[in-house]
Amino acid sequence: MGDPRLTPARGDIAAKYLEGKVAAARFVRGETFAVIDAIAPLRERPAADAPLLTQALRGERVTIYDRNDEGWAWGQLQSDGYVGWLPDAALATPLTAPTHKISAIRTFAFPGPSIKLPPAEVLVMQSTVTIVREDGSFAVTHDGLFLPRTHVSPLGRNESDFVSVAERFVGTPYLWGGKSSLGIDCSGLVQISLNAAGIGCPRDSDMQEAALGRPLDKAERKKLQRGDLLFWKGHVAIANDAETIVHANAHHMATVIENMNAAIARIKQAGSELVAIERL
């Protein structure tokens, strides 16, 4: 069987496309749903206290293969293929196709065309929405939310420098499994930043090491460039320039920019060697 993080298969049920590849009591085609919460947790087990694997953001599509009687749905994110349990209440049948994405690291959604109204909710970067019209300085969604026009971008419009996106998350609290400015982990920061630049990216650091860029040799490592990715076992950082990195990390419990050599030495002292540096 393939990577369990990316393989929707259990002993009792599996995705239809895996038939003949994995053993399961039954195979189902699944049904596509959209995430309607601002941020929905994807958990290891169908329980609120289960470990957080990753997060699904507003508008993200999920293929659901199973549901239980306690309000949980088991499926696979269509964006990066991650498999886990989501709250059923965070999902709904998609009614419209997304047209825009949130380009600010987070923004308020208002119930009407005034910033003086109490916000209806907070949406985060890379959430997708369907914009149906403009109203002054607002973009209006199909379900009547008013978003600042400067905080949304058409789906095809991408950031030119993914490192500058990562820099905008400096100060964000560290959260294992998080991928928003309310809480983010090391690989979530890389994924969100690359996605904002229109570059596909797997979820976890080991997947990113395997899928992104090319490894640098010893000579090339002496002249790091902005955007190079540094990998340790279970951790990833982005070269900000030849001397500094930006990364979400549990040492600071935040996203920080710090001296590269100091970080490498600290992480080595904690027992983890730098295993690769890759250039996109």
Side-chain angles (χ1 to χ4, degrees):
M1 193 172 86
D3 189 329
R5 295 170 293 180
L6 304 175
T7 309
R10 309 189 318 235
D12 59 330
I13 193 171
K16 185 73 173 176
Y17 73 84
L18 294 172
E19 195 164 12
K21 300 176 182 177
V22 301
R26 62 190 177 100
F27 295 86
V28 296
R29 295 196 181 280
E31 186 178 350
T32 296
F33 286 85
V35 175
I36 55 173
D37 283 4
I39 302 173
L42 186 87
R43 298 197 180 275
E44 188 177 287
R45 304 186 313 276
D49 61 351
L52 180 67
L53 299 175
T54 185
Q55 294 174 324
L57 307 181
R58 166 71 65 85
E60 194 159 353
R61 280 4 186 202
V62 189
T63 305
I64 296 299
Y65 297 101
D66 188 28
R67 284 189 160 89
N68 66 16
D69 295 328
E70 298 173 348
W72 293 89
W74 180 73
Q76 183 171 35
L77 302 183
Q78 294 183 6
S79 58
D80 61 19
Y82 225 106
V83 174
W85 291 89
L86 291 152
D88 215 347
L91 306 173
T93 300
L95 300 177
T96 59
T99 61
H100 289 67
K101 60 186 176 182
I102 304 300
S103 52
I105 62 169
R106 59 186 174 274
T107 190
F108 289 115
F110 297 95
S114 171
I115 60 172
K116 296 181 180 180
L117 292 170
E121 57 186 320
V122 177
L123 298 183
V124 297
M125 179 178 280
Q126 290 300 110
S127 303
T128 56
V129 293
T130 304
I131 300 298
V132 294
R133 62 186 175 90
E134 293 183 350
D135 186 335
S137 61
F138 293 95
V140 187
T141 68
H142 75 285
D143 50 355
L145 294 176
F146 287 71
L147 298 166
R149 281 172 52 188
T150 55
H151 288 179
V152 298
S153 298
L155 287 183
R157 185 180 301 164
N158 298 315
E159 298 277 353
S160 59
D161 175 19
F162 84 93
V163 186
S164 69
V165 178
E167 290 171 333
R168 290 158 64 186
F169 283 85
V170 167
T172 296
Y174 180 85
L175 175 66
W176 180 275
K179 62 177 193 182
S180 85
S181 61
L182 302 178
I184 202 161
D185 65 13
C186 64
S187 54
L189 179 67
V190 172
Q191 186 185 50
I192 285 291
S193 301
L194 284 173
N195 287 170
I199 301 168
C201 179
R203 178 58 178 91
D204 293 343
S205 60
D206 63 320
M207 302 175 183
Q208 293 169 356
E209 182 188 346
L212 299 173
R214 64 171 183 86
L216 300 187
D217 60 31
K218 286 187 177 181
E220 290 175 308
R221 285 188 178 195
K222 295 177 182 178
K223 295 182 179 180
L224 291 196
Q225 297 177 6
R226 183 175 174 86
D228 287 345
L229 299 176
L230 293 78
F231 290 96
W232 296 259
K233 185 178 180 180
H235 187 61
V236 60
I238 305 166
N240 196 50
D241 53 35
E243 297 179 353
T244 62
I245 56 174
V246 55
H247 62 149
N249 68 92
H251 175 77
H252 295 94
M253 286 304 293
T255 298
V256 299
I257 295 174
E258 64 173 322
N259 179 271
M260 183 184 310
N261 290 330
I264 291 172
R266 183 185 70 245
I267 297 170
K268 182 177 181 178
Q269 190 173 19
S272 188
E273 293 274 0
L274 188 68
V275 296
I277 302 177
E278 304 199 352
R279 182 160 294 161
L280 299 179

